[in-house]
Amino acid sequence: MTENKTQRTPYDAEHVQIVDHGLVMTALYIPDPEQAKDPSYVLEHITDSQYEAVEVVAEATRHFKNEGAAFSGWIVRSGYSYGEPIATKREALAQLHREITDYFTR
């Protein structure tokens, strides 16, 4: 008797790609290795049915006081959770990586 084993895609932080568009950095869980080759394209077309397995894990957005924000800096969001303002992009990227790790350990 032959067992029918289905290949499961790992659900982990190793399958996350960060798309950096300057003032917005988006962390995407992309389980398909072919799709992961161009994460910017996936983000631009995320509502297409072929990307239904893709998830937005977290996002870091730059805010400016001179554009009406209460502060100048970065905010990292994961789900409905928003972090405290972060001064630099480097620190925001580090926090984004922490959010990615936390997302998969919840």
Side-chain angles (χ1 to χ4, degrees):
M1 181 179 278
T2 307
E3 286 186 38
N4 183 11
K5 293 186 179 184
T6 57
Q7 178 95 16
R8 287 187 49 172
T9 304
Y11 189 67
D12 57 25
E14 291 180 25
H15 289 85
V16 174
Q17 299 282 328
I18 296 176
V19 179
D20 185 346
H21 283 168
L23 301 178
V24 177
M25 297 183 288
T26 307
L28 297 174
Y29 165 75
I30 307 174
D32 184 325
E34 283 302 308
Q35 293 174 349
K37 290 179 181 177
D38 191 355
S40 290
Y41 183 85
V42 172
L43 180 59
E44 291 173 23
H45 299 89
I46 197 164
T47 57
D48 291 357
S49 62
Q50 66 183 344
Y51 302 117
E52 65 185 20
V54 174
E55 293 179 35
V56 175
V57 173
E59 186 174 78
T61 307
R62 178 73 162 100
H63 298 270
F64 298 93
K65 266 187 167 180
N66 64 359
E67 292 180 359
F71 63 93
S72 287
W74 292 83
I75 290 289
V76 176
R77 173 188 66 82
S78 181
Y80 295 109
S81 173
Y82 291 83
E84 295 295 318
I86 300 169
T88 68
K89 187 172 185 176
R90 174 179 272 175
E91 292 170 10
L93 184 58
Q95 180 60 35
L96 190 61
H97 282 285
R98 285 188 290 275
E99 289 295 329
I100 292 166
T101 301
D102 289 350
Y103 186 87
F104 291 99
T105 57
R106 293 180 194 160

